[in-house]
Amino acid sequence: MNKYFGFALADSMFNGDVTISRRSLTPGQVKEMARDGVLTPCLNPSHQATIDAMRQRFGIEVEIPETPPRVEVGTSDSVIVMGVRGLPRLTDRHEYTAEEIASASFTFAEYTVTGDM
């Protein structure tokens, strides 16, 4: 049973036709999973500013792999996804201000493959 952590789902993560369930998570639940070492980060180093914002806002610590792993989600595996709204695109700088982080909304959800169709 693998648990991946990232910022989005991609169709290429799934093999064939599967059934997926979704449940909302609290930042505390995700922080606990990260602390317990059950999450495999599938993050890109280019998202450093967003990862830093997550760390500042929630204290969630995940490693950023040099090269993101190839994710293959099978039955009983899941992907924890952090969604963010309200952070501006960083075009001329490399980090967010404390005010930008405080005003953004963050959501967490777990998508689990419950079986084949």
Side-chain angles (χ1 to χ4, degrees), residues 21-27 29-30 33 81 107-111:
S21 67
R22 180 194 180 279
R23 72 178 179 122
S24 295
L25 299 173
T26 66
Q29 289 171 304
V30 177
M33 287 181 214
V81 176
T107 58
F108 296 89
E110 180 174 21
Y111 296 84

Side-chain angles (χ1 to χ4, degrees), residues 10-28:
D11 187 65
S12 61
M13 292 177 170
F14 306 97
N15 291 320
D17 295 327
V18 297
T19 302
I20 300 170
S21 67
R22 180 194 180 279
R23 72 178 179 122
S24 295
L25 299 173
T26 66

Side-chain angles (χ1 to χ4, degrees), residues 43 54 80 87 98 102:
L43 304 165
M54 175 187 70
I80 310 300
L87 288 178

Side-chain angles (χ1 to χ4, degrees), residues 38 53 73 99:
V38 299
V73 184
E99 294 80 22

Side-chain angles (χ1 to χ4, degrees), residues 37-109:
V38 299
L39 298 179
T40 300
C42 50
L43 304 165
N44 290 318
S46 64
H47 293 120
Q48 182 70 53
T50 305
I51 296 160
D52 289 343
M54 175 187 70
R55 286 179 176 145
Q56 289 175 21
R57 179 97 175 248
F58 304 108
I60 298 172
E61 294 290 335
V62 293
E63 289 189 31
I64 304 167
E66 206 173 290
T67 304
R70 179 159 166 40
V71 176
E72 291 186 25
V73 184
T75 301
S76 299
D77 292 341
S78 59
V79 181
I80 310 300
V81 176
M82 181 181 81
V84 183
R85 287 197 171 104
L87 288 178
R89 290 210 178 256
L90 296 178
T91 56
D92 58 345
R93 55 195 169 110
H94 299 290
E95 59 187 39
Y96 296 108
T97 66
E99 294 80 22
E100 290 169 334
I101 294 168
S103 66
S105 64
F106 294 77
T107 58
F108 296 89

